[in-house]
């Protein structure tokens, strides 16, 4: 759908309404009180960006009026910033047009703009914002926010300032972390290191109309990224060790082909017992806006180190009972009786 320059559209609207109406429209639409403003919130249960740390987003907006055949572009990837006073501002004021119906879309890549060479691109499809080829991989780990407010109109009322566009941003990636625990017996020291997420889908397109992800895929064969632990080799003997969160494209996998790879080291009384790399495969279901903590318990069986165990029973000769006794009939050989 073709977008019309807002200045040309305003000129056309003025010509159609006549000189007297033109003066009224000009006064109304360019009054400071009729300026388009914004306020925002981040949805409850924020993951990385919070309402306190959220200070930049990029806005897109178009409007239509009955006198135009196509939408008019008002904002296109314009930076909106929050000042120290908590108010959101942008450069170059825009104003509400009478009878205009506005659609607003916005995103924030953790207070930054999408980078076509690293993180993805943005584009208006008609009046709808799509985020194309978004990457969430080892080279790009940031929270991604999205919001839209459509069908907006404002009626000028003398002495009143139009309500700002109220964006309610949502987290559109999934946040994932892993917690490691040990169930080895007392006396064993267990540590985990070199945690990697492997063969996950790291690229996709977010559709603004449906607010869903499409074309989620792997950008290379077997994408992998290292997940940071509290230390290079994290001791989980007495307390769990948790990775820092990573951000992934939401997707419901159909096969157990996503892998978690990590190294385990086990010692007892300072002597090495085990050191090996463990690979675990599973079928993730990663939902947008969900923070998922996966708990993994390390024990001997899962590391390939099987504990020594015993079984015991009493077993007699062939024909014995369950307790190992062989029933027999005495012969009483040489038995003698006497009386007093």
């Amino acid at each position: 759908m073709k977008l019309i320059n807002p200045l040309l559209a305003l000129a056309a609207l003025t010509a159609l309404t006549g000189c007297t109406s033109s003066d009224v429209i000009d006064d109304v639409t360019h009054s400071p009180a009729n300026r388009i403003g914004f306020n925002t919130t981040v949805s409850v249960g924020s993951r990385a960006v919070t309402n306190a740390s959220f200070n930049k987003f990029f806005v897109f907006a178009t409007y239509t009026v009955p006198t135009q055949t196509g939408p008019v572009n008002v904002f296109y990837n314009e930076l909106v910033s929050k000042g120290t006073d908590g108010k959101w501002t942008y450069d170059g004021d825009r104003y509400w047009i009478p009878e205009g119906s506005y659609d607003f879309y916005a995103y924030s890549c953790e207070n930054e703009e999408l980078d076509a060479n690293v993180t993805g691109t943005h584009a208006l499809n008609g009046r709808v914002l799509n985020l194309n080829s978004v990457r969430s991989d080892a080279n790009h780990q940031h929270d991604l926010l999205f919001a839209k407010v459509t069908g907006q109109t404002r009626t000028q009322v003398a002495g009143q300032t139009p309500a700002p566009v109220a964006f309610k941003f949502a987290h559109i990636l999934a946040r994932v972390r892993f917690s490691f625990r040990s169930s080895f017996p007392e006396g064993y020291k267990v540590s985990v290191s070199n945690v990697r997420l492997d063969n996950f889908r790291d690229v996709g397109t977010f559709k603004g109309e449906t607010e869903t992800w499409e074309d989620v895929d792997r950008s290379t064969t077997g994408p992998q990224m290292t997940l940071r632990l509290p230390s290079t080799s994290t001791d989980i003997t007495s307390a769990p060790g948790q990775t820092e969160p990573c951000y992934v494209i939401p997707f419901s996998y159909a096969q157990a082909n996503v892998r978690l790879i990590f190294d385990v080291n086990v010692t007892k009384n300072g002597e090495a017992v085990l050191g090996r790399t463990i690979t675990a495969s599973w079928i993730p279901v990663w939902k947008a806006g969900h923070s998922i903590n996966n708990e993994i318990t390390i024990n001997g069986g899962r590391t390939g180190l099987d504990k020594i165990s015993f079984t015991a029973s009493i077993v007699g000769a062939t024909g014995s009972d369950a307790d190992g006794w062989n029933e027999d009939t005495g012969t009483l050989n040489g038995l003698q009786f006497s009386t007093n």
Side-chain angles (χ1 to χ4, degrees):
M1 189 178 290
K2 185 178 180 181
L3 297 177
I4 303 171
N5 185 290
L7 296 179
L8 295 178
L10 183 57
L13 183 60
T14 301
L16 289 169
T17 53
C19 295
T20 303
S21 297
S22 169
D23 294 338
V24 173
I25 290 173
D26 191 70
D27 289 342
V28 170
T29 58
H30 290 83
S31 165
N34 206 37
R35 178 180 178 275
I36 296 175
F38 299 97
N39 64 30
T40 69
T41 57
V42 179
S43 296
V44 174
S46 60
R47 309 302 175 218
V49 178
T50 65
N51 283 308
S53 64
F54 184 32
N55 55 43
K56 291 179 184 176
F57 66 85
F58 297 84
V59 65
F60 299 73
T62 60
Y63 71 84
T64 58
V65 292
T67 54
Q68 296 294 333
T69 58
V72 180
N73 191 357
V74 185
F75 294 94
Y76 191 90
N77 202 42
E78 298 286 340
L79 172 64
V80 182
S81 303
K82 183 168 64 175
T84 55
D85 59 358
K87 295 181 179 180
W88 294 91
T89 60
Y90 56 89
D91 292 334
D93 290 346
R94 317 292 202 280
Y95 299 91
W96 294 99
I97 302 298
E99 299 184 356
S101 178
Y102 289 74
D103 287 352
F104 294 89
Y105 291 83
Y107 77 89
S108 179
C109 185
E110 209 162 307
N111 295 319
E112 298 295 334
E113 183 179 5
L114 286 174
D115 182 343
N117 295 321
V118 181
T119 56
T121 62
H122 50 72
L124 281 181
N125 180 16
R127 302 181 67 185
V128 178
L129 174 64
N130 293 331
L131 305 181
N132 300 317
S133 300
V134 174
R135 297 285 292 270
S136 190
D137 55 19
N139 297 318
H140 177 242
Q141 281 293 295
H142 295 96
D143 195 3
L144 183 59
L145 304 176
F146 184 89
K148 69 178 182 181
V149 183
T150 59
Q152 294 291 291
T153 60
R154 295 292 186 274
T155 301
Q156 179 71 19
V157 178
Q160 294 185 12
T161 300
V165 178
F167 278 128
K168 294 183 178 180
F169 282 85
H171 305 271
I172 61 173
L173 296 175
R175 189 174 81 160
V176 178
R177 69 178 75 192
F178 297 88
S179 294
F180 295 90
R181 300 175 181 272
S182 170
S183 66
F184 271 80
E186 185 177 352
Y188 286 87
K189 180 182 178 181
V190 183
S191 61
V192 174
S193 61
N194 197 21
V195 182
R196 290 144 286 167
L197 185 63
D198 183 70
N199 202 41
F200 61 98
R201 295 175 183 251
D202 61 344
V203 63
T205 291
F206 186 80
K207 296 290 187 178
E209 183 173 4
T210 58
E211 298 185 70
T212 57
W213 288 91
E214 297 184 4
D215 302 323
V216 179
D217 207 345
R218 297 173 177 88
S219 61
T220 61
T221 301
Q224 186 177 102
M225 65 177 162
T226 298
L227 307 181
R228 186 177 299 177
L229 286 162
S231 60
T232 303
S233 182
T234 298
D235 185 351
I236 63 169
T237 304
S238 56
Q242 188 176 72
T243 65
E244 290 187 2
C246 65
Y247 296 93
V248 293
I249 305 292
F251 190 75
S252 293
Y253 291 78
Q255 300 178 31
N257 54 15
V258 177
R259 295 180 285 271
L260 184 71
I261 306 170
F262 53 94
D263 296 339
V264 174
N265 187 66
V266 181
T267 61
K268 182 175 176 59
N269 299 323
E271 297 291 331
V273 175
L274 172 75
R276 65 183 52 182
T277 298
I278 307 298
T279 299
S281 301
W282 85 108
I283 308 174
V285 177
W286 291 334
K287 298 180 180 180
H290 285 229
S291 185
I292 305 161
N293 183 36
N294 304 276
E295 293 194 358
I296 299 170
T297 300
I298 306 298
N299 56 36
R302 291 182 175 178
T303 59
L305 184 67
D306 295 324
K307 68 179 181 179
I308 298 173
S309 59
F310 300 92
T311 63
S313 62
I314 302 172
V315 180
T318 302
S320 63
D321 64 14
D323 293 319
W325 293 106
N326 284 77
E327 295 292 338
D328 200 355
T329 302
T331 61
L332 299 178
N333 292 332
L335 179 66
Q336 295 179 3
F337 293 89
S338 62
T339 61
N340 293 324

